[in-house]
Amino acid sequence: MIQDPSLIICHDVDGAPVRIGAKVKVVPHSEDGTISQRFLGQTGIVVGLVFDDPATQYPDDPLIQVLVEGLGEDLFFPEELELAPEWARNRIAQHRQAVRTGGRSSLERMP
């Protein structure tokens, strides 16, 4: 039997970038084409937080499960949602990339 270590949480988590029930807007364009076209620019409600790798993602880097009325649900990275200023989304994306490649990001070096 394979055990899935993922955490799927449907309540607020201290340190997460969003709150359950928050209204968010999906960015209007996807530079890398990873966001389904039908969700681009749509507004929805946060219904869950998904931590595929809790050891590195929890609590501040979840996938965010968003429900868009009439379209359904999908998962988004924080920088794919308009929930923070662009500079903050860029810092989150840089941190995520540094963690994936095994390096230390500037966020980890901050006192």
Side-chain angles (χ1 to χ4, degrees):
M1 174 189 205
I2 298 173
Q3 293 183 351
D4 183 359
S6 297
L7 291 176
I8 300 172
I9 299 174
C10 297
H11 58 81
D12 288 338
V13 173
D14 288 338
V18 293
R19 298 284 177 227
I20 301 300
K23 189 174 184 178
V24 295
K25 183 175 180 181
V26 179
V27 294
H29 63 289
S30 174
E31 292 179 20
D32 59 8
T34 58
I35 303 173
S36 173
Q37 290 286 331
R38 63 191 184 127
F39 283 99
L40 292 174
Q42 297 294 321
T43 300
I45 303 295
V46 175
V47 295
L49 303 172
V50 179
F51 299 93
D52 290 335
D53 183 3
T56 60
Q57 292 178 297
Y58 188 87
D60 59 347
D61 190 24
L63 286 168
I64 301 168
Q65 187 174 6
V66 176
L67 171 63
V68 176
E69 190 172 326
L71 294 179
E73 296 178 356
D74 207 348
L75 296 172
F76 301 93
F77 290 113
E79 65 269 16
E80 294 174 334
L81 300 172
E82 293 180 357
L83 51 88
E86 184 175 346
W87 65 266
R89 291 194 310 270
N90 290 339
R91 296 266 323 251
I92 292 168
Q94 290 169 355
H95 172 70
R96 179 178 296 109
Q97 184 61 36
V99 168
R100 286 182 183 150
T101 59
R104 287 183 51 185
S105 74
S106 59
L107 293 177
E108 293 174 305
R109 286 182 242 145
M110 293 175 62

